């Protein structure tokens, strides 16, 4: 197990370039096995999730090479094989292999996915979609067996709740199905548009991505002719914007699509951060005075649940109490007792309702990252705190943040990664 060691109190300055979107990457890599040619991605983030997905590909005789932000995948010699349960359990997004294997072979056997513990995240809407397309699904011994003996056929599917994962998985399963699938109440996230763009550039017919109705007309072949550039990671961008507002002397955050960030940047501006929003970057000036705000998480284009934790340490600097209403995952509060160890005063006043009271003095301590975004909140708090902060279970953070140590060091942060035995 790895730890992060942070000497806090240093002011951050300079530039940081945002990597490709984790939440796109973890769907695009499984999507690659639908191709009948090799595929190539660039702007791929250097995160542990990519390594684990490569291990899963390897188990199916799919070769991949990742170097300098470029990832090449060749699925032309793919075989059906048992997927490595350790890699599957390490990240929740491994469930995208359900849709892509079903689309490729008409069947899939996948161990229940793992990933962050942020409360219940059922996959019933994924299964509903697969069954509507003609698949039979059953569960046994922590494994999901999916089979479409008569092939997949287009259908009209209405999601009972907006789900990014189910929307992407149904697209993956339907893209080679016979006929047309109409997916209603679909999620609208930019990462879904990114997936559809990749598939369409290979000859797929996915229309309406980014709206709540998506039409997928099945095709027989998918052939990649160009490199697909992954969109910038709006969650990584928001994390650095919050960090810069909390501890910066002037930080330029580059490689941003501002339209993807509007719900988040609007709240920073409301809190008193004088953001300079440019075409593909945002400058965060030194911010001395912050006002308390109220935030309610919601599906895109609302305030992202993944940015709820990274903004929390910043709000501890406001001159009054702020509140966050977590409507997506009400149990996503495991960062709060850890932040309080660092001198903050944050309380869960009811399920999904968090109150952040102002505090002036923050001090280092040993804390534990329960999941990716909770860990990001601890990194920001550790940079704000006086003294040394040790963050245990740092693998969670490294799963989701591209070259974190390099980027923070370049911004004048004092952070290093150590093995537990060290």
């Amino acid at each position: 197990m790895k730890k992060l060691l942070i000497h806090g109190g240093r002011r951050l300055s300079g530039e940081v370039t945002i990597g490709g979107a984790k939440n796109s990457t973890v769907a695009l890599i499984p999507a690659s096995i639908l191709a009948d040619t090799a595929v190539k991605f660039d702007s791929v983030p250097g995160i542990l999730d990519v390594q684990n997905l490569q291990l899963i590909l390897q188990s199916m005789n799919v070769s991949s090479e990742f170097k300098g932000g470029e990832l090449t995948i060749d699925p032309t010699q793919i075989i059906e094989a048992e997927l490595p349960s350790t890699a599957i359990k390490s990240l929740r997004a491994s469930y995208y292999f359900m849709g892509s294997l079903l689309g490729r072979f008409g069947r899939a056997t996948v161990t229940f996915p793992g990933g962050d513990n942020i409360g219940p995240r059922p996959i019933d809407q994924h299964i509903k979609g697969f069954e509507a397309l003609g698949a039979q699904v059953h569960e046994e011994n922590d494994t999901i067996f999916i089979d479409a003996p008569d092939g997949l056929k287009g259908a009209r599917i209405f999601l009972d709740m907006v789900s990014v994962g189910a929307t992407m998985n149904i697209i993956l399963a339907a893209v080679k199905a016979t006929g047309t699938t109409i997916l209603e109440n679909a999620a609208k996230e930019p990462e879904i548009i990114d997936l559809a763009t990749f598939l369409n550039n290979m000859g797929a017919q996915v229309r309406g991505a980014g709206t709540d109705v998506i039409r997928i007309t099945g095709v027989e072949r998918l052939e990649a002719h160009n490199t697909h550039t992954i969109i910038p990671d709006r969650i990584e961008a928001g994390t650095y914007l919050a960090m810069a507002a909390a501890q910066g002397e002037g930080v330029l955050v580059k490689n941003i699509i501002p339209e993807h960030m509007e719900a988040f940047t609007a709240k920073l501006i409301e809190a008193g951060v004088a953001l300079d929003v440019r075409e593909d970057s945002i400058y965060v000036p030194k911010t001395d005075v912050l006002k308390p705000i109220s935030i309610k998480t919601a599906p895109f284009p609302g305030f992202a649940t993944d940015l709820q934790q990274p903004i929390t340490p910043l709000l501890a600097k406001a001159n009054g109490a702020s509140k966050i209403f977590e409507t997506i995952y009400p149990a996503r509060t495991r960062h709060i007792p850890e932040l309080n160890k660092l001198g903050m005063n944050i309380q869960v006043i009811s399920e999904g309702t968090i109150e952040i009271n102002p505090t002036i003095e923050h001090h280092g301590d040993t804390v534990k990252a329960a999941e990716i975004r909770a860990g990001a909140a601890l990194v920001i708090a550790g940079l704000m705190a006086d003294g040394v902060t040790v963050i245990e279970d740092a693998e969670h953070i490294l799963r989701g943040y591209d070259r974190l140590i390099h980027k923070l060091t370049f911004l004048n942060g004092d952070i290093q990664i150590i093995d537990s035995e060290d």
Side-chain angles (χ1 to χ4, degrees):
M1 301 298 286
K2 298 188 182 298
K3 300 179 182 179
L4 291 181
L5 187 68
I6 302 172
H7 289 82
R10 294 164 65 113
R11 303 296 298 191
L12 305 178
S13 62
E15 300 180 352
V16 61
T17 300
I18 300 305
K22 167 191 175 292
N23 290 337
S24 280
T25 303
V26 296
L28 289 166
I29 292 175
S32 70
I33 70 169
L34 289 164
D36 297 292
T37 60
V39 301
K40 188 173 183 179
F41 303 105
D42 64 15
S43 294
V44 179
I47 55 177
L48 289 179
D49 276 8
V50 170
Q51 296 177 28
N52 283 315
L53 288 166
Q54 285 184 277
L55 289 174
I56 296 171
L57 292 176
Q58 185 179 357
S59 72
M60 295 183 286
N61 198 42
V62 176
S63 62
S64 64
E65 182 180 3
F66 183 32
K67 185 176 181 181
E70 293 188 346
L71 175 64
T72 303
I73 299 172
D74 186 353
T76 55
Q77 304 299 317
I78 190 172
I79 59 173
E80 291 187 77
E82 182 177 348
L83 306 186
S85 60
T86 301
I88 291 286
K89 289 288 188 184
S90 70
L91 73 162
R92 183 166 179 82
S94 58
Y95 61 26
Y96 291 125
F97 282 104
M98 295 181 194
S100 60
L101 286 168
L102 188 58
R104 176 89 192 208
F105 295 113
R107 55 190 169 269
T109 301
V110 181
T111 306
F112 265 100
D116 291 332
N117 182 2
I118 57 174
R121 293 192 285 175
I123 60 170
D124 58 311
Q125 297 303 297
H126 306 236
I127 292 172
K128 174 183 178 177
F130 298 152
E131 289 178 336
L133 294 170
Q136 301 167 359
V137 183
H138 76 277
E139 305 167 17
E140 184 180 327
N141 297 329
D142 205 31
T143 300
I144 302 170
F145 298 87
I146 311 170
D147 188 22
D150 299 321
L152 296 172
K153 297 177 176 60
R156 183 180 291 271
I157 304 165
F158 184 91
L159 295 180
D160 298 327
M161 59 177 290
V162 176
S163 166
V164 176
T167 298
M168 286 183 163
N169 239 338
I170 292 167
I171 291 172
L172 293 174
V175 76
K176 284 189 169 182
T178 301
T180 298
T181 298
I182 300 174
L183 179 59
E184 299 176 286
N185 199 30
K188 306 174 186 177
E189 271 70 2
E191 294 80 11
I192 294 168
I193 300 174
D194 201 21
L195 174 64
T197 300
F198 167 65
L199 294 170
N200 287 340
N201 285 341
M202 293 196 297
Q205 295 185 32
V206 182
R207 302 292 180 263
T211 76
D212 60 359
V213 179
I214 300 176
R215 299 176 65 93
I216 309 114
T217 301
V219 297
E220 290 187 5
R221 285 184 61 81
L222 294 174
E223 299 182 357
H225 300 290
N226 301 295
T227 299
H228 178 80
T229 300
I230 299 173
I231 60 171
D233 193 316
R234 60 195 171 97
I235 308 303
E236 184 193 13
T239 300
Y240 280 100
L241 291 175
M243 186 186 298
Q247 196 62 19
E249 292 279 358
V251 174
L252 180 65
V253 185
K254 300 165 66 176
N255 193 34
I256 284 179
I257 299 177
E259 293 79 9
H260 293 175
M261 306 289 304
E262 287 175 346
F264 184 77
T265 53
K267 284 298 176 181
L268 289 183
I269 293 168
E270 183 183 333
V273 183
L275 297 179
D276 177 8
V277 180
R278 306 172 184 178
E279 183 178 356
D280 59 359
S281 63
I282 298 178
Y283 179 74
V284 188
K286 182 179 180 182
T287 304
D288 293 317
V289 180
L290 285 171
K291 296 175 285 188
I293 57 173
S294 178
I295 293 169
K296 184 177 182 179
T297 63
F300 189 85
F303 192 100
T305 177
D306 279 355
L307 287 172
Q308 176 252 111
Q309 292 119 309
I311 202 172
T312 300
L314 170 66
L315 297 180
K317 299 184 70 173
N319 57 16
S322 296
K323 283 188 178 179
I324 296 175
F325 300 93
E326 175 54 77
T327 69
I328 310 295
Y329 301 118
R332 199 170 197 175
T333 57
R334 298 177 70 193
H335 57 302
I336 292 172
E338 304 303 300
L339 289 173
N340 288 341
K341 289 180 185 177
L342 302 179
M344 297 187 179
N345 181 8
I346 308 170
Q347 289 143 9
V348 180
I349 56 178
S350 63
E351 186 179 44
T353 302
I354 302 165
E355 183 176 84
I356 304 106
N357 297 293
T359 47
I360 298 173
E361 295 184 1
H362 306 121
H363 53 79
D365 205 333
T366 297
V367 291
K368 186 172 291 189
E371 44 106 346
I372 297 175
R373 311 306 173 186
L378 296 178
V379 170
I380 295 173
L383 293 167
M384 293 166 56
D386 293 327
V388 178
T389 297
V390 177
I391 305 176
E392 298 178 336
D393 293 351
E395 285 88 351
H396 288 300
I397 307 168
L398 302 176
R399 277 187 48 220
Y401 284 91
D402 170 57
R403 298 180 298 138
L404 177 72
I405 309 302
H406 168 80
K407 291 180 179 181
L408 286 179
T409 301
F410 196 72
L411 288 174
N412 193 43
D414 188 341
I415 180 171
Q416 57 185 294
I417 188 165
I418 58 174
D419 290 318
S420 291
E421 56 267 24
D422 295 336

